[in-house]
Amino acid sequence: MRTDRDTDDIAALCELEKKVLWLASWTIHHANHLRENNDGLKVGGHQASSASLATIMTALYFAVLRPQDRVAVKPHASPVFHAVQYLLGKQTREQLEAFRGFKGAQSYPSRTKDVDDVDFSTGSVGLGVAQALFSSLAQDYVRAHGWGLERPEGRMVALVGDAELDEGNIFEALLEGWKQGLRNCWWIIDYNRQSLDAVVREGLWERYEQLFRNFGWNVVILKYGSLQQAAFKEPGGEKLRQWIDNCRNPLYSALVFAGGAAWRKRLNDEIGDQGDVSRLIEKRSDDELAALMNNLGGHDLPSLLEAFRNADNDRPTCFIAYTIKGFGLPMAGHKDNHSGLMTPAQMETFRRAMRVRSGHEWDPFEGLSLPAERLKRFLDRVPFAAGGGRRLKASEIEVPPELPSAFQAVTSTQTGFGTLLNEIARTDSDFARRIVTTSPDVTVSTNLGAWVNRRGLFARQAMADTFKSERIPSTFNWEFSPKGQHIELGIAETNLFILLSALGLSHSINGERLLPIGTLYDPFVARGLDALNYACYQDARFIVVGTPSGITLAGEGGAHQSIAEPLIGIAQDGLASFEPAYVDELAVILAWAFAYIQKSDGEISEHTWLRDETGGSVYLRLSTRPIEQIARAMTPELRQQIVDGGYWLRKPGPNCQVVVAYTGAIAPEALAAVGLMAEDRRDVGLLAVTSADRLNAGWTAAQRARERGRVHARSHIERLFAEVPTHCGIVTVLDGHPATLAWLGAVSGNRVRPLGVEHFGQTGSLADLYRSYGIDANAIVAAAQAIAPGRPIRHLKALPQP
Ligand SMILES: Cc1ncc(C[n+]2csc(CCOP(=O)(O)OP(=O)(O)O)c2C)c(N)n1
Ligand SMILES: [Mg+2]
């Protein structure tokens, strides 16, 4: 039943809907026609896509959403989002005028770059949709652990393009959501039956409906608007409904584009000789007929409000809202409208139709029928805007400066990682409680088993380990409870990264900090790479562990051996990457990482020229190869150098002819090579590189700083190389792509011979593979002899022929 308040709301909402459409369209027009724009890319996609969602977003933001709700907005509806925020006083005219310009409002909603409180960034279609789902799971996790209960539970909402549902990651998320008992999540599908290039297949909604119901979702189909519903009740109305139901998507779109007269002709041709329905058509003018046929559920405020308000439970709900791409604009319905921009002449007509005076385009209440005062009062009462700033804050969790550790003399970094987490699991501290681990079905094989045994698996409902209750011995205790600290995922790596993205934003979304760690096999980082990039782009904070890695995983062959990941580690923004060789290094890096992922807003470090105070996420590439550990005391200096990216394991002497720089599991080969050439090359240096990424980033930043006048800026690698003579050759080696370390030669102008893996690996023993790929001790010696001429190195053996 509707109350007076609702009627009042609807009048105001109708006005705001017009204003939102106008402002979004004007923002786009401004960026295209009134500002210099020479990137060759038109922004038509925004125009038609925005119009498609304008009604739905008006209903949501101005009436339905509450402050605790969070939204991922379909990328191309960004202008609508900015227009809504503008009306709510959270976005500025300057930003809108600079839409797509330098530091202006972003083309795709961005948490990190926009000023108007974007909840979740979007851009790569499909990922924001999954982010809403996983954020709901993250919220459940936080609350099940007793945190943030003073705040109301929010709903995680995604505004989804219908073609966005082509992205497989959405279905991966859907399945995972079902397994995890998803709640409080809405996906609102903008069913305009158009994608970027074309009109979508017939009957997709039926597939979607079935699919969502199969996964336990509520499905609400918003097909007919209130005008249509009323018309269906008129004599002949049922015929009209049948015609609409049977009309193919491309034809409907084409008629929307063509307008009232075309509708009349078509309807008369097809159902016009049937008495009642003819009268139904005839009694409407062309404009009224067009308004009726365009009145789909997704453009009808009363139907939308009713549907949203009726969904007042916590079941995941999918709304399939029929819409028209380009609704209200001259390109409405045209299949080419994705790149269709309004011409200045069309904009002029639109401006007049909207009763906006020239020069008053940005005025919030210009040309509306209701008095500005009344609309202002309405806006002041909008529930969504009531909560103040939407970015919550959580204090930093204190991290022990050193992690408890006791390692075996011969061990691998992966085993060390398991041991370190197991030790943390024994402790009872806020730090240990805030850690949450997750893995896509590789929990045990990435060495998280001991941690999980102690801290348990997370589920909202407790579930006993049947093997344990049946008293069948097993190494692993697989018990689920609301207190568990490990979220076990299915194999989809993209889900892992989106979950990390959701857990890693908990401080800002839930006001409760988590310390998330995700593990996966290193080669499959590539499988989830876009999602990892997405998570970093929105500044989510987590630690990701890629293990096992490289051809060191000898018996597994090319399918499981990672090659390119060290380069990903260098190139991925927002991710500090490490590949330690020894477990004591790992312990230092991990302790540092727990603090680093919590940092924000600081200054760029004067010491290393890295972003140590602004923080970011961390990637650890670990190996299963057991190697002999170095018995040494950890000094503060060594600790700092490990974090900065490298240290001299053997300092080069003043006459140094060769430096060997290595990363990761290949350390024993590098050590052995230095031994083999010691008699024939002077003062050989051995550089342990714990982070090619941080060395490289620091070097680049220091150069940039010097070019901008800070003449004393020095990076860590420059300081390390300060004593290395320029005639000295550098051999670099790692179990990964050689380009990772090849740049080291450019730091002080040394010749460099980078060794590594460039081609898909194969099965074999470790010795077979290292020899074959040229990263064993003998290959290092051969490279040294080639770039650091001198007497023949006696221990050098002939290399295998390729
Ligand atoms: C991963 C990815 N691939 C491609 C694109 C380019 N792209 C942007 S929107 C879009 C299709 C949009 O269709 P739909 O989701 O139905 O939204 P509509 O255009 O109807 O508003 C595509 C292919 C993208 N943003 N992300
Ligand atoms: Mg579409």
Side-chain angles (χ1 to χ4, degrees):
M1 212 180 60
R2 292 217 176 97
T3 62
D4 286 350
R5 172 81 212 286
D6 286 334
T7 324
D8 191 35
D9 283 355
I10 285 177
L13 285 169
C14 285
E15 293 289 274
L16 291 172
E17 181 201 2
K18 273 192 242 155
K19 195 39 63 180
V20 162
L21 178 62
W22 163 260
L23 284 169
S25 308
W26 182 250
T27 302
I28 295 161
H29 182 75
H30 192 274
N32 272 295
H33 294 285
L34 306 182
R35 232 192 28 232
E36 189 185 347
N37 181 357
N38 50 11
D39 63 1
L41 194 72
K42 291 195 292 175
V43 287
H46 290 93
Q47 202 135 58
S49 293
S50 292
S52 187
L53 263 175
T55 327
I56 292 174
M57 288 175 68
T58 300
L60 280 176
Y61 280 97
F62 294 122
V64 177
L65 295 174
R66 305 153 304 169
Q68 63 269 30
D69 299 332
R70 302 284 181 171
V71 193
V73 176
K74 180 183 82 167
H76 277 111
S78 149
V80 181
F81 173 78
H82 294 312
V84 165
Q85 297 293 343
Y86 179 65
L87 290 173
L88 290 172
K90 306 273 165 87
Q91 178 57 287
T92 65
R93 173 175 167 176
E94 291 68 37
Q95 282 279 312
L96 295 186
E97 283 182 338
F99 176 62
R100 287 170 64 90
F102 190 57
K103 304 213 165 165
Q106 294 296 293
S107 326
Y108 306 104
S110 169
R111 267 186 73 82
T112 46
K113 299 212 157 59
D114 273 316
V115 297
D116 48 357
D117 271 349
V118 170
D119 288 327
F120 303 122
S121 302
T122 56
S124 176
V125 294
L127 300 182
V129 185
Q131 175 82 28
L133 184 150
F134 283 105
S135 295
S136 186
L137 298 183
Q139 175 179 254
D140 274 348
Y141 180 92
V142 165
R143 298 176 74 86
H145 286 76
W147 299 315
L149 296 174
E150 69 285 1
R151 287 196 189 85
E153 208 165 64
R155 188 176 274 140
M156 306 297 161
V157 181
L159 297 168
V160 190
D162 46 1
E164 202 167 359
L165 284 158
D166 289 337
E167 289 289 359
N169 86 280
I170 291 190
F171 302 94
E172 296 176 356
L174 207 52
L175 181 54
E176 196 59 53
W178 174 78
K179 290 185 200 163
Q180 307 277 348
L182 175 70
R183 311 180 304 138
N184 294 317
C185 183
W186 282 2
W187 284 359
I188 302 167
I189 301 175
D190 173 13
Y191 195 54
N192 59 23
R193 289 147 291 151
Q194 285 190 261
S195 61
L196 213 155
D197 286 335
V199 179
V200 305
R201 290 290 143 86
E202 297 304 315
L204 262 185
W205 66 273
E206 285 171 297
R207 317 294 124 208
Y208 296 155
E209 185 189 12
Q210 271 307 312
L211 198 112
F212 279 93
R213 287 202 204 286
N214 280 343
F215 286 113
W217 288 52
N218 249 343
V219 180
V220 179
I221 297 176
L222 284 152
K223 180 160 185 183
Y224 318 106
S226 47
L227 291 180
Q228 291 189 348
Q229 289 175 35
F232 297 156
K233 293 195 184 117
E234 291 177 27
E238 193 45 40
K239 283 264 156 23
L240 179 68
R241 180 213 290 268
Q242 280 167 14
W243 185 90
I244 291 177
D245 284 353
N246 292 330
C247 182
R248 288 181 311 111
N249 291 336
L251 178 62
Y252 210 96
S253 294
L255 290 170
V256 165
F257 177 75
W263 278 117
R264 183 179 307 283
K265 176 159 187 344
R266 193 76 188 200
L267 289 170
N268 276 334
D269 287 353
E270 299 201 356
I271 50 173
D273 56 351
Q274 300 180 22
D276 286 346
V277 76
S278 305
R279 271 189 295 287
L280 190 157
I281 297 165
E282 270 157 27
K283 78 179 197 209
R284 287 169 167 85
S285 68
D286 282 357
D287 283 351
E288 285 168 344
L289 191 59
L292 174 67
M293 300 307 284
N294 288 354
N295 179 241
L296 302 179
H299 293 300
D300 190 69
L301 284 165
S303 311
L304 286 167
L305 292 177
E306 192 180 335
F308 291 144
R309 285 181 174 150
N310 282 344
D312 59 354
N313 52 44
D314 71 357
R315 269 187 74 188
T317 301
C318 166
F319 298 87
I320 303 178
Y322 278 68
T323 55
I324 291 166
K325 191 161 165 179
F327 182 75
L329 304 178
M331 81 265 294
H334 198 292
K335 71 178 166 58
D336 301 343
N337 64 13
H338 195 85
S339 52
L341 273 177
M342 278 160 80
T343 61
Q346 284 175 323
M347 199 62 200
E348 194 54 20
T349 311
F350 187 47
R351 184 177 64 74
R352 277 197 228 104
M354 288 285 178
R355 299 193 299 150
V356 171
R357 285 167 297 160
S358 181
H360 292 262
E361 290 86 355
W362 298 109
D363 295 3
F365 306 112
E366 174 74 4
L368 298 178
S369 327
L370 293 182
E373 274 315 309
R374 180 165 156 198
L375 290 168
K376 267 196 213 121
R377 238 179 302 126
F378 178 86
L379 287 172
D380 286 344
R381 292 200 324 252
V382 162
F384 177 76
R390 298 181 59 71
R391 299 288 165 93
L392 304 180
K393 286 217 177 328
S395 47
E396 285 185 25
I397 308 294
E398 200 180 327
V399 178
E402 283 176 47
L403 296 179
S405 53
F407 307 113
Q408 296 183 333
V410 177
T411 189
S412 71
T413 45
Q414 195 206 73
T415 305
F417 168 70
T419 310
L420 283 164
L421 274 187
N422 187 31
E423 291 300 321
I424 297 171
R426 288 169 187 273
T427 60
D428 181 29
S429 62
D430 198 29
F431 162 64
R433 279 189 292 275
R434 294 279 169 163
I435 293 176
V436 48
T437 57
T438 178
S439 184
D441 205 25
V442 290
T443 298
V444 174
S445 45
T446 55
N447 238 302
L448 277 177
W451 160 266
V452 175
N453 273 345
R454 288 189 194 280
R455 309 299 287 208
L457 292 117
F458 171 72
R460 273 193 305 114
Q461 253 107 42
M463 228 176 340
D465 182 337
T466 309
F467 276 71
K468 194 174 166 198
S469 49
E470 295 294 321
R471 296 172 191 280
I472 302 172
S474 158
T475 328
F476 299 104
N477 179 7
W478 212 246
E479 269 177 350
F480 290 83
S481 86
K483 295 281 154 264
Q485 283 181 251
H486 175 77
I487 302 177
E488 179 70 8
L489 291 173
I491 310 170
E493 284 75 14
T494 299
N495 280 343
L496 170 77
F497 288 114
I498 304 285
L499 177 59
L500 288 174
S501 176
L503 296 169
L505 284 175
S506 178
H507 52 284
S508 180
I509 298 289
N510 302 309
E512 293 292 336
R513 193 177 295 279
L514 298 174
L515 303 173
I517 303 178
T519 65
L520 77 169
Y521 292 176
D522 198 49
F524 306 129
V525 166
R527 178 67 166 260
L529 191 52
D530 195 29
L532 170 61
N533 180 56
Y534 171 73
C536 291
Y537 180 59
Q538 54 183 343
D539 202 23
R541 299 303 183 83
F542 52 86
I543 297 170
V544 57
V545 180
T547 181
S549 56
I551 60 168
T552 302
L553 192 59
E556 291 282 282
H560 271 49
Q561 297 161 338
S562 61
I563 298 174
E565 273 64 12
L567 291 175
I568 292 172
I570 288 184
Q572 180 60 56
D573 193 17
L575 194 68
S577 305
F578 294 86
E579 185 168 353
Y582 299 104
V583 176
D584 61 352
E585 297 170 354
L586 175 66
V588 166
I589 292 163
L590 198 58
W592 176 86
F594 281 122
Y596 182 73
I597 62 171
Q598 301 188 60
K599 296 260 184 281
S600 61
D601 305 331
E603 287 290 306
I604 290 177
S605 160
E606 294 278 331
H607 175 61
T608 56
W609 300 91
L610 295 170
R611 298 181 174 188
D612 284 10
E613 301 310 317
T614 36
S617 285
V618 175
Y619 166 34
L620 307 177
R621 187 174 190 249
L622 304 184
S623 171
T624 39
R625 180 185 186 193
I627 63 172
E628 196 178 327
Q629 303 293 302
I630 306 173
R632 59 184 165 186
M634 186 53 65
T635 63
E637 294 73 34
L638 180 55
R639 177 181 294 278
Q640 185 62 50
Q641 297 205 25
I642 287 169
V643 165
D644 290 348
Y647 61 93
W648 288 113
L649 203 50
R650 180 178 161 166
K651 250 198 153 93
N655 300 313
C656 171
Q657 290 179 290
V658 185
V659 160
V660 176
Y662 75 90
T663 273
I666 209 86
E669 280 61 34
L671 273 165
V674 169
L676 291 175
M677 62 181 111
E679 292 164 30
D680 300 308
R681 290 293 178 279
R682 279 195 305 275
D683 294 349
V684 178
L686 181 60
L687 183 71
V689 176
T690 46
S691 172
D693 177 31
R694 283 174 54 85
L695 285 185
N696 182 270
W699 176 53
T700 305
Q703 292 177 94
R704 193 178 295 128
R706 289 198 291 271
E707 287 152 17
R708 281 158 181 69
R710 302 170 82 163
V711 290
H712 299 299
R714 284 290 173 282
S715 63
H716 183 51
I717 189 63
E718 288 167 325
R719 280 197 298 271
L720 286 171
F721 278 177
E723 309 286 304
V724 176
T726 35
H727 62 75
C728 171
I730 303 177
V731 179
T732 68
V733 60
L734 78 156
D735 180 4
H737 198 278
T740 310
L741 294 175
W743 58 273
L744 283 176
V747 174
S748 324
N750 296 86
R751 277 185 83 185
V752 71
R753 167 71 174 101
L755 303 178
V757 182
E758 300 147 272
H759 300 294
F760 292 120
Q762 41 195 317
T763 49
S765 72
L766 204 68
D768 289 338
L769 295 195
Y770 282 7
R771 190 183 325 111
S772 168
Y773 286 81
I775 54 175
D776 64 354
N778 193 49
I780 297 170
V781 173
Q785 172 154 300
I787 58 161
R791 65 172 184 238
I793 300 179
R794 273 164 278 177
H795 293 290
L796 177 62
K797 294 196 242 69
L799 293 179
Q801 290 309 311

